[in-house]
Amino acid sequence: VDVGDRDALIELMEPLHAADIADLLEQIDSPDRRRLIALYGVEFDGDILSELDESIREEVIGVLNPDVLADAVRDLESDDVVDLLEDLEEPQQQAIIGALDDADQMVVRQALSYPEDSAGRLMQREVVAVPEHWSVGEAIDFMRGKEDLPEQFYHVILVDPRHRPTGYVTLGKIMSAPRAQALQDMTEDSFRTIPVDQDEEDVAYAFNQYHLISTPVVDDEGRLAGVITIDDAMIVLDEEHEEDMLRMAGVSEEASLSDNVLETMRGRATWLFVNLVTAIFASLVIDLFSDTIDQMVALAVLMPIVASMGGNAGTQTMAVAVRAIATRDLTGQNARRIIRRELVVGALNGALFGLAMALVAAFWFGVPMLAVVIGSAMLMTQVAAAFGGIVIPLLLDRLKIDPALASGPFVTTVTDVVGFFAFLGLASWVLL
Amino acid sequence: VDVGDRDALIELMEPLHAADIADLLEQIDSPDRRRLIALYGVEFDGDILSELDESIREEVIGVLNPDVLADAVRDLESDDVVDLLEDLEEPQQQAIIGALDDADQMVVRQALSYPEDSAGRLMQREVVAVPEHWSVGEAIDFMRGKEDLPEQFYHVILVDPRHRPTGYVTLGKIMSAPRAQALQDMTEDSFRTIPVDQDEEDVAYAFNQYHLISTPVVDDEGRLAGVITIDDAMIVLDEEHEEDMLRMAGVSEEASLSDNVLETMRGRATWLFVNLVTAIFASLVIDLFSDTIDQMVALAVLMPIVASMGGNAGTQTMAVAVRAIATRDLTGQNARRIIRRELVVGALNGALFGLAMALVAAFWFGVPMLAVVIGSAMLMTQVAAAFGGIVIPLLLDRLKIDPALASGPFVTTVTDVVGFFAFLGLASWVLL
């Protein structure tokens, strides 16, 4: 790129997959990116745009020559175009829609009319559907005669006269069946339809739970509107996981390494602020016992251990609970049993580490009662951590708040407050 | 189940998908589970076993009537049987292998000879492969003539005379092409092969990155050994995410809600122990300054705030870094730029929250110099958190240790030690 050798660049990039080129564009910095794109010119492919991270994508679209952009977009399937448009600002959206031909424009505009993160946004409109009473031979002839079959399809969908899907047959079965066989006798048990306004998270769950490969999407009246394939579901699943992981760590879910400094800072500051408030709250608890600490400074030395162990145990339980809620393994029916089990685990670990810490404290400071105090405080904090770690995510879930989003600060506040209160309270009661 | 009405139970369970029955079995407790299985009897399906969580699966297999078990297993595809066997104890493994017919026994034994978590374990042996010089018509006739096509297949794989895959054609394309067309002219660009000993994590990455649907697996000499399909890759991806999330929270990756209390306790205790050691280490830092705290107890009240804010910021950066390493967005090439960016973000947030906390401290305790001390300590800790949060995962990754596994304790130790040291050190220097 530095010497501006266009042919060498194109030769170098030629064997790369669009996803790898996108990764490359993400990893270099902004001026390099501009120069590379300018140099790469008309070779720029729509697939690269699809693969790019959102924050970079906007920049790249801004830099691309409008003709190149129009060419690039025209080759994409309708669901990829929709995915591309979703995150763009209005003027860029219009520019891209304008580049499409009329039929595609209509399709894309309709897709954008579905709610964000719904099955309607995810699906591709290109489907292969045949009347339910057809035979294998009729279906094969139909496909042979059709000019533009979708790039990816795995099932032939059977529809009734009102275009409502009633079943599907895998291409593999059609391949191996005699021409005269009725399609209706070969349908798969796994068949299920997804309403067009279903949340994409539920769609991904269904694909994962029932091992679906592709599944028809239906509109309000049950008519076939499109098809969602497993690769789309896999992307959603991947995004959901990323969201959960980042949210649990208190990072806004849109975070990416390609964001600029200010965006990154804003994404983190919100939770740091919440944490500041909760940390001050925990400090108020300590302040209650400042006289006690004044008389025995060893308490100040040891109290972070109690809080830190509690915070850790709470985070462990919380991660398991958030994950189990996401995979629907933790529900109202078994909640009580799971809470009981977590409390037992918390009590056992609390007893174990309480004892260990009591021994450490006894040797360190040589005050037997201090050992008793820290041991008991540890036990109480571990039980509280187990309780908070599972009850808080469950509660948030019932309140329709994503448990991953808000559990962290609440759980550590509970463990900090209980930890400081138990340790310093016991100390002022027993030791002074 | 309580009244032992077998017919009603079977009728109730009939419309359920195997995955849902497995979820049901996981959610009820052990005695109920035994009774349900005894009652359900011969209706018990191999798919249910595949869907069950490992810890429950062993129990269920132990309870099942051997004949029912043998029947259940015989219906499964080879990759599902392997998946089932992997996690079982030796005697249970042998019992199940014994129930298979000879050909399947050999296939399963060979699959088990590949390393754990490798492509060889993941792949199915049932493939559709034809000579590379065949035409569409020949391939269709071959498939028509074949008795047992795999349940799931999406491509016809082309192989050379030595059975090495050279390309593949989608079923959709075969459907729509004239019989005389050569398969070689219709192959997909996405074609790539996976070595049989490749780690399943890399397999899942390739499926996700390149949007693969199925891909041939080859042995050491490049010969076709099997096929991995996207549904297998999706399961691996899901497991990897779960591992990452749980590991980051310090829970052993095998954790599940169905584990018993002792297993759960052991899974958590390891990291709690590591945390205890690092927390004691942080307390030693506080102990260094016990004289300072003795003279000004406000320090003990405020110091957890500095540590907690540092820990939070460190966890945020770490989550982003661990995720970016997993998706290969953070590599050696851009590490320096990303570290620089994180440091700037840390400094900005440190300045912001340092200032906020300085104001709070000034009002709370009325000691202006204390405000200066906590503000500066906050700034230093935030920068250290940013540095540790990104450098520690990168370092662990370079040492071939999973960054998700071990980053947590190291990062919080760094932020605790830096936080206590900066705050108490500055205080003893400036205030006394």
Side-chain angles (χ1 to χ4, degrees):
Chain A
V1 177
D2 281 325
V3 294
D5 184 349
R6 178 153 191 277
D7 292 339
L9 176 75
I10 289 172
E11 203 176 309
L12 217 62
M13 305 267 272
E14 216 272 311
L16 291 181
H17 188 279
D20 292 326
I21 297 180
D23 282 351
L24 178 73
L25 284 172
E26 284 167 18
Q27 290 198 5
I28 58 182
D29 62 14
S30 187
D32 275 354
R33 196 148 52 220
R34 273 156 212 268
R35 283 192 301 161
L36 196 148
I37 291 168
L39 210 55
Y40 201 42
V42 290
E43 303 286 323
F44 201 93
D45 201 61
D47 287 330
I48 305 177
L49 278 183
S50 292
E51 301 286 350
L52 275 175
D53 191 80
E54 286 162 31
S55 54
I56 298 281
R57 198 191 279 163
E58 261 179 69
E59 182 194 317
V60 169
I61 290 179
V63 173
L64 274 180
N65 181 313
D67 292 341
V68 176
L69 179 64
D71 265 353
V73 172
R74 232 170 274 141
D75 294 335
L76 293 174
E77 301 252 316
S78 63
D79 56 337
D80 292 328
V81 177
V82 172
D83 183 48
L84 202 68
L85 288 174
E86 274 184 331
D87 310 307
L88 292 179
E89 308 289 327
E90 190 68 20
Q92 285 197 333
Q93 267 196 9
Q94 293 308 328
I96 291 188
I97 295 183
L100 299 169
D101 60 42
D102 288 350
D104 286 340
Q105 281 197 19
M106 212 190 63
V107 166
V108 167
R109 274 185 217 279
Q110 206 200 330
L112 286 174
S113 72
Y114 296 118
E116 223 175 304
D117 299 331
S118 70
R121 291 278 184 109
L122 210 57
M123 72 189 182
Q124 62 181 49
R125 261 105 213 312
E126 294 85 356
V127 299
V128 179
V130 304
E132 51 186 346
H133 56 77
W134 275 18
S135 68
V136 168
E138 284 172 299
I140 292 180
D141 294 342
F142 167 76
M143 286 188 274
R144 282 263 163 74
K146 225 178 153 194
E147 287 240 319
D148 52 337
L149 285 171
E151 230 178 82
Q152 297 188 333
F153 74 107
Y154 314 104
H155 294 111
V156 171
I157 300 168
L158 307 186
V159 290
D160 70 8
R162 296 172 123 176
H163 213 61
R164 288 183 302 215
T166 57
Y168 57 34
V169 182
T170 65
L171 291 185
K173 285 236 173 93
I174 291 183
M175 282 286 176
S176 53
R179 282 185 63 94
Q181 192 168 345
L183 290 174
Q184 253 168 342
D185 302 336
M186 313 160 50
T187 55
E188 298 287 311
D189 284 344
S190 65
F191 174 78
R192 55 187 63 224
T193 59
I194 286 178
V196 78
D197 54 0
Q198 186 159 61
D199 191 81
E200 60 174 22
E201 200 174 335
D202 297 328
V203 175
Y205 172 79
F207 269 84
N208 204 11
Q209 171 86 344
Y210 305 118
H211 310 301
L212 305 175
I213 294 297
S214 85
T215 194
V217 179
V218 296
D219 65 16
D220 300 342
E221 279 133 63
R223 283 183 312 236
L224 182 62
V227 148
I228 294 178
T229 49
I230 186 172
D231 52 324
D232 300 316
M234 195 161 169
I235 292 169
V236 172
L237 194 74
D238 200 44
E239 284 173 0
E240 294 291 333
H241 282 300
E242 176 161 2
E243 268 183 37
D244 274 359
M245 184 162 154
L246 294 180
R247 279 177 169 177
M248 269 186 50
V251 186
S252 75
E253 64 268 45
E254 310 264 291
S256 119
L257 283 185
S258 318
D259 290 345
N260 69 34
V261 169
L262 276 181
E263 281 166 342
T264 309
M265 193 187 143
R266 215 178 34 204
R268 313 251 175 106
T270 321
W271 283 114
L272 286 178
F273 179 73
V274 173
N275 185 61
L276 183 63
V277 173
T278 60
I280 291 176
F281 188 66
S283 287
L284 287 173
V285 175
I286 303 176
D287 200 26
L288 284 179
F289 298 99
S290 57
D291 290 344
T292 318
I293 295 174
D294 217 5
Q295 290 172 57
M296 191 174 205
V297 81
L299 296 175
V301 174
L302 293 175
M303 69 186 187
I305 297 180
V306 178
S308 152
M309 290 296 282
N312 247 273
T315 308
Q316 288 181 333
T317 308
M318 182 188 80
V320 174
V322 166
R323 171 74 196 175
I325 291 172
T327 58
R328 305 184 198 184
D329 286 335
L330 176 57
T331 59
Q333 277 103 59
N334 62 351
R336 198 176 286 209
R337 191 159 56 83
I338 303 286
I339 293 174
R340 207 164 45 222
R341 209 200 48 161
E342 286 295 328
L343 288 179
V344 174
V345 171
L348 288 174
N349 269 334
L352 178 70
F353 289 101
L355 193 67
M357 195 54 223
L359 291 175
V360 171
F363 277 102
W364 189 347
F365 294 98
V367 183
M369 277 320 277
L370 182 62
V372 174
V373 166
I374 197 167
S376 323
M378 202 94 134
L379 174 60
M380 287 185 229
T381 315
Q382 291 287 313
V383 174
F387 188 74
I390 196 147
V391 169
I392 291 173
L394 275 173
L395 224 59
L396 290 172
D397 187 49
R398 189 150 303 177
L399 296 173
K400 308 265 175 243
I401 301 170
D402 180 351
L405 182 62
S407 295
F410 290 127
V411 172
T412 44
T413 306
V414 167
T415 55
D416 278 358
V417 168
V418 171
F420 291 138
F421 207 90
F423 181 54
L424 298 175
L426 274 177
S428 73
W429 182 48
V430 173
L431 289 171
L432 302 179
Chain B
V1 177
D2 282 325
V3 295
D5 184 348
R6 179 153 190 278
D7 292 339
L9 176 75
I10 289 172
E11 201 173 311
L12 217 60
M13 306 266 272
E14 216 272 309
L16 291 182
H17 188 278
D20 292 326
I21 298 180
D23 281 351
L24 178 72
L25 285 172
E26 283 166 21
Q27 291 199 2
I28 59 184
D29 61 15
S30 188
D32 276 353
R33 196 147 52 220
R34 273 158 211 270
R35 284 193 300 161
L36 195 149
I37 290 167
L39 209 56
Y40 201 42
V42 290
E43 303 286 323
F44 201 93
D45 200 62
D47 287 331
I48 304 177
L49 279 183
S50 291
E51 301 285 350
L52 276 175
D53 191 80
E54 287 162 29
S55 54
I56 299 281
R57 197 190 282 164
E58 262 180 68
E59 183 194 315
V60 169
I61 290 179
V63 173
L64 273 182
N65 182 312
D67 293 341
V68 176
L69 178 64
D71 265 354
V73 172
R74 231 169 275 140
D75 294 336
L76 293 174
E77 301 251 315
S78 65
D79 56 336
D80 291 329
V81 177
V82 172
D83 184 48
L84 202 68
L85 289 174
E86 274 184 331
D87 310 308
L88 293 179
E89 308 289 326
E90 190 68 20
Q92 285 196 334
Q93 266 196 9
Q94 292 309 328
I96 291 185
I97 294 183
L100 299 170
D101 59 41
D102 288 349
D104 285 342
Q105 280 196 20
M106 213 190 63
V107 167
V108 167
R109 275 185 217 279
Q110 206 201 331
L112 286 174
S113 73
Y114 295 117
E116 223 174 304
D117 298 332
S118 69
R121 292 277 183 107
L122 211 57
M123 71 188 182
Q124 63 182 48
R125 262 107 213 313
E126 295 85 357
V127 299
V128 179
V130 304
E132 51 186 346
H133 56 79
W134 276 18
S135 68
V136 169
E138 284 173 298
I140 291 180
D141 293 342
F142 168 77
M143 286 187 272
R144 283 263 164 74
K146 224 177 154 192
E147 287 241 318
D148 52 341
L149 285 172
E151 232 176 82
Q152 297 188 332
F153 75 107
Y154 313 104
H155 292 112
V156 170
I157 300 168
L158 306 186
V159 291
D160 69 10
R162 298 174 121 176
H163 213 62
R164 288 183 302 215
T166 57
Y168 56 34
V169 182
T170 64
L171 292 184
K173 285 237 174 94
I174 291 184
M175 283 286 175
S176 52
R179 282 184 63 93
Q181 191 167 342
L183 291 173
Q184 252 168 342
D185 301 336
M186 312 161 51
T187 56
E188 297 288 312
D189 284 344
S190 65
F191 175 77
R192 55 185 66 220
T193 60
I194 286 178
V196 78
D197 55 0
Q198 185 159 62
D199 191 80
E200 60 174 21
E201 201 175 333
D202 297 328
V203 174
Y205 172 78
F207 269 84
N208 204 13
Q209 173 84 343
Y210 304 118
H211 311 301
L212 305 175
I213 294 298
S214 84
T215 193
V217 179
V218 295
D219 65 16
D220 300 341
E221 280 132 62
R223 284 185 310 238
L224 182 63
V227 147
I228 295 177
T229 49
I230 187 173
D231 51 324
D232 300 316
M234 195 163 171
I235 292 170
V236 173
L237 194 74
D238 199 45
E239 283 173 0
E240 294 291 332
H241 281 299
E242 176 160 2
E243 267 182 38
D244 273 0
M245 185 163 153
L246 294 180
R247 279 178 169 176
M248 271 187 48
V251 186
S252 75
E253 64 267 47
E254 310 264 291
S256 118
L257 282 185
S258 318
D259 290 345
N260 68 34
V261 168
L262 276 181
E263 282 167 341
T264 308
M265 192 186 142
R266 214 177 34 202
R268 312 252 175 106
T270 323
W271 283 113
L272 287 178
F273 178 73
V274 173
N275 185 61
L276 183 64
V277 174
T278 59
I280 290 176
F281 187 66
S283 287
L284 286 173
V285 174
I286 303 176
D287 201 26
L288 284 179
F289 298 99
S290 57
D291 289 344
T292 317
I293 294 175
D294 217 6
Q295 288 171 58
M296 192 175 204
V297 79
L299 296 175
V301 174
L302 292 176
M303 68 186 188
I305 298 180
V306 178
S308 151
M309 290 297 282
N312 246 273
T315 307
Q316 288 181 333
T317 308
M318 183 188 78
V320 174
V322 166
R323 171 75 196 173
I325 291 174
T327 57
R328 305 186 195 181
D329 286 336
L330 176 56
T331 59
Q333 277 104 58
N334 61 351
R336 198 176 287 208
R337 192 160 53 85
I338 303 286
I339 293 173
R340 206 165 45 222
R341 210 201 46 164
E342 287 296 328
L343 288 178
V344 174
V345 171
L348 288 175
N349 269 334
L352 179 69
F353 288 102
L355 193 66
M357 194 55 223
L359 291 175
V360 171
F363 277 104
W364 191 346
F365 295 98
V367 183
M369 277 319 277
L370 182 62
V372 174
V373 166
I374 197 166
S376 321
M378 202 94 136
L379 173 60
M380 289 184 228
T381 314
Q382 292 285 311
V383 174
F387 188 74
I390 196 148
V391 168
I392 290 174
L394 275 173
L395 225 58
L396 290 172
D397 187 50
R398 189 152 302 177
L399 296 173
K400 308 264 174 244
I401 302 171
D402 180 351
L405 181 62
S407 294
F410 290 125
V411 172
T412 45
T413 307
V414 167
T415 55
D416 279 357
V417 168
V418 171
F420 291 139
F421 207 89
F423 181 53
L424 298 174
L426 274 177
S428 73
W429 181 48
V430 172
L431 289 172
L432 303 179

